[in-house]
Amino acid sequence: MTRTVHIIGAGLAGLSAAIKLSGRGDSVMVHEATAFAGGRCRSYHDAFVGMTIDNGNHLLLSANHAALSYLREIGGEDRLAGPAHAEFPFVDLKSQQRWTLSFNDGRLPLWIFDAKRRVPDTGPLDYLSLARLLWVAPDQTVGQVIVCEGVLYKRLVEPLLLAALNIDPPLGAAKLASAIVRETLAAGGLACRPLIAREGLGETLIAPALTTLQQRGATVRFEHQLRALQFGDGRVTALEFADETVALHEDDAVVLAVPPYIASGLVRELTVPTEFRAIVNAHFRVDPPAGQPRIVGVLNATTEWLFAFPGRLSVTVSAGDRLIDTPREELAKTIWNEVAAVAGLPADPMPPWQIVRERRATFAATPGQEAKRPGAATSWRNLVLAGDWTNTGLPATIEGAIRSGNRAADVVSRQR
């Protein structure tokens, strides 16, 4: 008899688990507390900007094998866009320097011997220091492993790790930084090609997944918030919602794919990360100028990464807690002036804009918080965890969220 797997949460972790399990023949029911799927990777129509925008800007890399496999399974891989090779344009607004970091495809880093391809004002020997991040202890910070100063750090290492860890890099867990370096820089240019959702996150990562689940007979219920779990005999016995209580059969399973602060309220014995960091995004309704790269790294500015989409320029600022209380108009004007300088656009008038601030965008990627991340399996035989905050070995990223969903699906399958 087909069992039912109840997945609580329709973010990327929950959706990836649902895709895997439905593909294996399980009856899947997804319960989402809000009226939309995608969590932090959702798209929505913003009346103030007058167009559909993403809640946040997210970058994938060609090394993100779980994310690319997920996209292939739901038919969304062709909706990614990026350069043919690993190239990252940068602009330093203080010095007015512009350059493009250009990796060669092979694992041997020949690009560091070419002054036109590496970071300006650096030499090949400077890059040897990054090898220290390949062998780290679990309790070390990045600042305890490498020297967090100098040209290479400011122009490459800091932007890379700040975006990946969403924390001031010297304070970040060296274990997580090591995972990023191993899977990207150390793997060669073929692993570093930047990819963005050309038509938006919703059309690329979410809508095709919902269509695939529907085609497979899975059920997705929106505005269906789980209030409590009932436990007995070493398992979850029932799910309490506002309008009903669902009793679970012996073979049924539950994947809890919700934020850590919600998971710990439902399962009080859980140890979860308790500190978080913000991300700030800005969106401007304006046509990118001809030749504008899809992504540009910006140094010595509030803006950190500038993304170009059809009819829209968007900015991401990681570790954005310092900007949470900045007046919206002031922040938008500051960022727009920087965007205009990078893109060669007039600063006045400022186009329609929106500021999106996620106060608890990711767990704080410190060694202490990293140690609190639980695995997928729990002490209850039919309850499994998923989410980018679980112990994926990666920071809180799209790739980490999807890996967690895949891992949860594997645990559920083994339990059967």
Side-chain angles (χ1 to χ4, degrees):
M1 186 168 121
T2 302
R3 65 170 175 178
T4 298
V5 181
H6 295 269
I7 298 176
I8 313 301
L12 275 179
L15 290 177
S16 59
I19 290 294
K20 285 294 182 185
L21 290 165
S22 62
R24 296 170 183 172
D26 282 310
S27 175
V28 171
M29 179 170 288
V30 181
H31 308 269
E32 169 56 45
T34 69
F36 51 82
R40 288 190 292 108
C41 285
R42 68 186 182 275
S43 301
Y44 63 95
H45 182 82
D46 187 275
F48 194 69
V49 181
M51 67 185 306
T52 297
I53 62 175
D54 295 326
N55 183 62
N57 303 304
H58 295 269
L59 173 71
L60 289 172
L61 294 174
S62 48
N64 297 155
H65 301 301
L68 295 179
S69 177
Y70 166 84
L71 284 166
R72 281 192 296 271
E73 190 165 359
I74 65 175
E77 190 177 26
D78 62 344
R79 303 184 189 189
L80 294 177
H85 301 281
E87 297 180 346
F88 293 85
F90 280 89
V91 177
D92 187 327
L93 287 185
K94 182 178 180 180
S95 68
Q96 298 300 307
Q97 281 183 283
R98 293 174 182 254
W99 67 92
T100 297
L101 190 65
S102 181
F103 300 92
N104 58 286
D105 288 344
R107 296 181 70 94
L108 190 64
L110 300 177
W111 59 276
I112 69 174
F113 300 101
D114 187 339
K116 295 181 180 179
R117 305 181 74 171
R118 65 179 182 246
V119 176
D121 304 319
T122 66
L125 294 179
D126 296 328
Y127 296 80
L128 291 178
S129 62
L130 297 182
R132 297 173 188 159
L133 283 172
L134 298 179
W135 298 276
V136 301
D139 59 347
Q140 285 184 300
T141 64
V142 172
Q144 291 172 326
V145 176
I146 63 172
V147 177
C148 295
E149 58 184 34
V151 176
L152 180 62
Y153 176 77
K154 288 296 184 182
R155 292 187 167 184
L156 174 59
V157 179
E158 184 178 44
L160 170 67
L161 295 185
L162 182 59
L165 302 178
N166 194 36
I167 194 172
D168 190 21
L171 304 176
K175 173 183 174 182
L176 296 177
S178 179
I180 294 298
V181 171
R182 285 178 181 274
E183 294 194 12
T184 57
L185 293 178
L190 288 178
C192 299
R193 191 163 67 93
L195 302 166
I196 65 172
R198 181 181 59 248
E199 301 170 31
L201 296 172
E203 288 299 315
T204 302
L205 292 157
I206 309 305
L210 296 177
T211 299
T212 300
L213 290 174
Q214 182 181 37
Q215 292 170 345
R216 293 177 178 178
T219 300
V220 181
R221 298 188 63 179
F222 293 106
E223 297 182 303
H224 203 232
Q225 183 176 1
L226 180 68
R227 299 294 181 87
L229 296 167
Q230 292 182 11
F231 297 92
D233 191 29
R235 58 185 286 268
V236 178
T237 58
L239 307 175
E240 293 184 20
F241 299 95
D243 57 345
E244 63 177 331
T245 297
V246 178
L248 302 185
H249 298 291
E250 181 65 30
D251 288 338
D252 291 348
V254 179
V255 176
L256 195 59
V258 297
Y261 41 86
I262 294 178
S264 61
L266 294 167
V267 186
R268 302 201 181 276
E269 294 83 354
L270 281 182
T271 298
V272 302
T274 54
E275 296 179 14
F276 304 90
R277 293 294 183 270
I279 294 179
V280 175
N281 293 276
H283 304 278
F284 301 93
R285 194 185 72 192
V286 61
D287 290 324
Q292 175 67 28
R294 295 185 184 275
I295 180 171
V296 177
V298 185
L299 305 180
N300 288 309
T302 298
T303 300
E304 292 171 3
W305 296 95
L306 173 61
F307 295 81
F309 300 96
R312 171 167 61 99
L313 288 172
S314 296
V315 163
T316 289
V317 184
S318 299
D321 298 77
R322 68 191 187 282
L323 302 176
I324 287 297
D325 297 323
T326 303
R328 289 166 46 81
E329 293 78 8
E330 176 185 332
L331 184 56
K333 184 61 177 175
T334 295
I335 293 176
W336 172 248
N337 286 341
E338 295 169 352
V339 169
V342 172
L345 295 170
D348 292 311
M350 185 166 64
W353 56 272
Q354 183 59 277
I355 298 291
V356 181
R357 295 186 260 211
E358 286 278 357
R359 291 179 179 269
R360 295 189 287 189
T362 69
F363 72 91
T366 64
Q369 293 297 301
E370 165 67 13
K372 294 182 177 182
R373 300 171 76 183
T378 71
S379 57
W380 293 272
R381 62 180 180 269
N382 65 341
L383 177 63
V384 181
L385 304 177
D388 61 11
W389 54 274
T390 61
N391 187 16
T392 65
L394 292 176
T397 59
I398 286 178
E399 176 72 4
I402 293 175
R403 286 191 193 182
S404 78
N406 293 346
R407 189 170 300 174
D410 290 342
V411 172
V412 168
S413 296
R414 287 197 299 270
Q415 288 174 342
R416 184 172 188 177

